[in-house]
């Protein structure tokens, strides 16, 4: 999936919303150094920012709840939100979202345990970006069928 038509950039834009400065710095450095991804920083306006995937933690999920839910609702295709959670809290975070915040749980496409290896993070990103690409293709085919009918 290669985007950013206006600049000609061939790197896939990934939005990071991570509250803890150490984790944010490591994640942003990894994205900057990666040849396939372009960092979209947390200062971007979520509702109209150019990104294909969002990596975020629980604090930022709640801080940006309205904008994330609005963006999710306006996207025709899957726009992956990957929630970074401490490995020890995985079950508690998942259960809390499911029971207390079902709207947010519905918007989150996957949980990534922290700390995460760079290899595992790359695998997760690839999987969800492939899912987004397939979703976009299906939406385009659906639109073409609608025109023909």
């Amino acid at each position: 999936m290669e985007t950013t038509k206006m600049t000609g950039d061939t790197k896939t834009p990934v939005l990071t919303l991570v509250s803890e400065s150490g984790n944010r710095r490591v994640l942003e450095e990894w994205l900057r150094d990666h040849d396939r991804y372009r960092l979209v920083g947390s200062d971007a306006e979520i509702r109209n920012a150019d990104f294909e995937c969002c990596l975020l933690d629980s604090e930022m999920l709640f801080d940006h709840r309205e904008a994330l839910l609005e963006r999710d609702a306006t996207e025709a295709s899957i726009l992956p939100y990957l929630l970074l959670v401490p490995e020890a809290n995985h079950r508690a975070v998942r259960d809390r979202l499911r029971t207390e915040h079902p709207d947010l749980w519905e918007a989150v496409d996957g949980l990534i345990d922290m700390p995460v290896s760079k290899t595992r993070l790359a695998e997760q990103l690839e999987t969800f970006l492939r899912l987004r690409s397939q979703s976009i293709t299906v939406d385009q085919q659906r639109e073409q069928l609608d025109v023909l009918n």
Side-chain angles (χ1 to χ4, degrees):
M1 164 143 307
E2 303 194 351
T3 60
T4 314
K5 299 135 194 104
M6 294 180 69
T7 63
D9 189 356
T10 60
K11 294 184 175 188
T12 302
V14 177
L15 175 64
T16 58
L17 299 173
V18 179
S19 58
E20 201 279 312
S21 61
N23 287 339
R24 183 177 57 249
R25 181 182 43 77
V26 169
L27 186 59
E28 288 176 351
E29 285 175 3
W30 181 79
L31 287 167
R32 276 190 202 101
D33 292 343
H34 204 285
D35 61 345
R36 298 196 60 195
Y37 306 117
R38 177 176 55 82
L39 173 66
V40 178
S42 59
D43 58 340
E45 172 54 48
I46 295 165
R47 287 177 178 90
N48 55 24
D50 175 27
F51 66 94
E52 299 295 321
C53 183
C54 178
L55 300 171
L56 69 163
D57 61 17
S58 293
E59 183 177 332
M60 297 300 263
L61 176 65
F62 286 101
D63 286 354
H64 296 282
R65 173 189 202 126
E66 294 306 318
L68 290 164
L69 290 174
E70 182 180 315
R71 177 67 185 263
D72 190 54
T74 60
E75 284 287 321
S77 305
I78 294 169
L79 180 60
Y81 295 157
L82 303 179
L83 186 62
L84 307 169
V85 297
E87 187 173 16
N89 297 349
H90 183 107
R91 173 179 253 156
V93 168
R94 182 195 66 214
D95 292 347
R96 179 177 173 226
L97 285 174
R98 278 185 180 164
T99 59
E100 298 175 26
H101 307 282
D103 56 340
L104 290 175
W105 176 247
E106 188 70 27
V108 170
D109 297 291
L111 301 179
I112 298 179
D113 290 334
M114 296 295 285
V116 64
S117 72
K118 291 176 183 179
T119 301
R120 182 75 175 132
L121 180 58
E123 289 170 353
Q124 289 287 311
L125 270 175
E126 281 300 310
T127 298
F128 282 96
L129 288 169
R130 187 171 37 255
L131 181 63
R132 174 155 171 82
S133 177
Q134 292 167 350
S135 175
I136 290 169
T137 299
V138 167
D139 286 337
Q140 290 170 342
Q141 291 171 345
R142 186 178 306 124
E143 287 175 14
Q144 290 172 350
L145 284 173
D146 288 345
V147 168
L148 293 174
N149 292 325

